[in-house]
Amino acid sequence: GAVVSQHPSRVICKSGTSVKIECRSLDFQATTMFWYRQFPKKSLMLMATSNEGSKATYEQGVEKDKFLINHASLTLSTLTVTSAHPEDSSFYICSAYISSGQLREGNTQYFGPGTRLTVL
Amino acid sequence: LAKTTQPISMDSYEGQEVNITCSHNNIATNDYITWYQQFPSQGPRFIIQGYKTKVTNEVASLFIPADRKSSTLSLPRVSLSDTAVYYCLVGDIRAGGYQKVTFGTGTKLQVIP
């Protein structure tokens, strides 16, 4: 099946620093990727939609200058949390959309394993 | 975006069949129904997807009535390892027409020995 990886899986940083999270589709090309965040015992909340070669579309209430998204290739999207603060501590999950024709399980989105960010 | 409603939690004994129903009254013509499983501190894992009637794969079945306003995920003979949160998502997933989907609360399934 489709595999989406994230790196790092866990990161601890000091307040005020920036953290970059990578999301890769390993065996398929993804023109569209999504970034979510999830707080403990809560559901996933969509942050932004990332399209290869164009600017990301952010959900209402998500600061685009704080959460920088770059989708430079068909297999890689990055989320950079700039000037991180303790309230940014969360579980960040990416997903990649697979169109039909690439894999048997086409026309759906597959999720990465997530990145646990802790800001001290 | 079609809103989904699921039971918050369910308990089941090992070896039993579990059926989780999701309501999506405002489902649109081009929307598909997808179910995901999520374990703590992991990303959601694709289980099954369908548009109408019944879909079956190696791990589950998905039943969708003719009006498509609800769907039921059926897990045959659950084991302890099936304890997880199950999400029902509804959205247009066609190539070129893919839209973002909204996660609902999900159903926390607890399998009891």
Side-chain angles (χ1 to χ4, degrees):
Chain A
V3 179
V4 177
S5 70
Q6 279 185 243
H7 178 80
S9 58
R10 185 183 297 270
V11 57
I12 301 173
C13 69
K14 294 182 178 180
S15 184
T17 61
S18 294
V19 174
K20 179 185 285 188
I21 302 171
E22 293 185 348
C23 176
R24 293 182 185 273
S25 55
L26 298 186
D27 48 3
F28 63 96
Q29 294 181 330
T31 55
T32 302
M33 290 183 173
F34 300 89
W35 287 95
Y36 297 81
R37 66 187 298 181
Q38 186 176 32
F39 292 106
K41 300 188 184 302
K42 298 294 185 181
S43 185
L44 281 76
M45 183 184 73
L46 180 66
M47 299 175 65
T49 302
S50 171
N51 292 298
E52 187 267 339
S54 63
K55 291 183 177 180
T57 303
Y58 291 82
E59 294 302 298
Q60 189 173 8
V62 178
E63 300 176 60
K64 62 179 180 180
D65 295 329
K66 181 170 185 61
F67 298 100
L68 301 179
I69 292 173
N70 183 278
H71 193 157
S73 77
L74 290 173
T75 60
L76 173 65
S77 176
T78 61
L79 168 68
T80 301
V81 183
T82 62
S83 187
H85 291 283
E87 57 265 30
D88 297 324
S89 298
S90 187
F91 192 53
Y92 292 87
I93 309 171
C94 72
S95 72
Y97 168 68
I98 304 175
S99 61
S100 62
Q102 289 197 67
L103 291 171
R104 181 173 68 91
E105 312 89 344
N107 284 0
T108 194
Q109 57 175 318
Y110 287 82
F111 290 82
T115 297
R116 174 76 58 194
L117 171 63
T118 302
V119 184
L120 303 177
Chain B
L1 298 172
K3 180 180 178 181
T4 60
T5 303
Q6 304 173 233
I8 296 296
S9 64
M10 294 180 68
D11 292 338
S12 175
Y13 288 103
E14 266 192 300
Q16 290 190 329
E17 177 185 76
V18 171
N19 296 308
I20 305 174
T21 297
C22 177
S23 296
H24 28 81
N25 292 317
N26 297 324
I27 189 168
T29 302
N30 295 325
D31 286 344
Y32 281 68
I33 301 157
T34 311
W35 285 80
Y36 290 89
Q37 174 193 56
Q38 186 182 30
F39 297 111
S41 296
Q42 294 186 28
R45 182 177 75 98
F46 173 86
I47 300 176
I48 198 166
Q49 180 177 275
Y51 183 80
K52 61 180 179 180
T53 62
K54 176 183 176 182
V55 180
T56 298
N57 63 19
E58 303 82 8
V59 298
S61 294
L62 177 60
F63 299 91
I64 306 169
D67 66 4
R68 304 202 323 124
K69 294 182 182 300
S70 67
S71 59
T72 299
L73 173 71
S74 181
L75 304 172
R77 301 178 58 182
V78 294
S79 63
L80 295 176
S81 62
D82 293 317
T83 294
V85 178
Y86 292 82
Y87 291 99
C88 158
L89 272 68
V90 174
D92 184 350
I93 51 82
R94 297 170 300 161
Y98 189 85
Q99 298 177 357
K100 60 189 180 183
V101 293
T102 301
F103 276 79
T105 58
T107 298
K108 181 172 173 53
L109 172 65
Q110 180 68 52
V111 179
I112 306 166

